[in-house]
Amino acid sequence: MKVVVNDEAVEVDEQITVAGLLEWLGFPEKGIAVAVDWSVLPRSQWDTALTDGAKVEVVTAVQGG
């Protein structure tokens, strides 16, 4: 199935979860925020399975000032 991650189409396994997708794409475990279909998803819900066509946005925290 296809999902869109940060505006790029990605082909993934049918049963992939948000956590599985993040790991597969190499995102760090900490310091990120995730939204699925325009709704912020708390870390406690990252075991949620994605659906075909889901739009995933991953934002990495940066320090600076």
Side-chain angles (χ1 to χ4, degrees):
M1 88 177 158
K2 285 188 182 182
V3 297
V4 178
V5 180
N6 293 349
D7 296 323
E8 284 193 40
V10 179
E11 188 75 32
V12 296
D13 183 63
E14 294 286 330
Q15 291 85 27
I16 198 161
T17 63
V18 173
L21 176 70
L22 296 172
E23 181 180 341
W24 183 67
L25 292 174
F27 283 99
E29 290 184 29
K30 298 194 180 224
I32 61 173
V34 179
V36 177
D37 295 327
W38 305 108
S39 295
V40 174
L41 197 65
R43 186 176 298 272
S44 62
Q45 295 179 13
W46 286 8
D47 60 348
T48 302
L50 292 167
T51 57
D52 190 38
K55 183 166 177 63
V56 180
E57 292 291 328
V58 182
V59 179
T60 304
V62 295
Q63 291 182 340

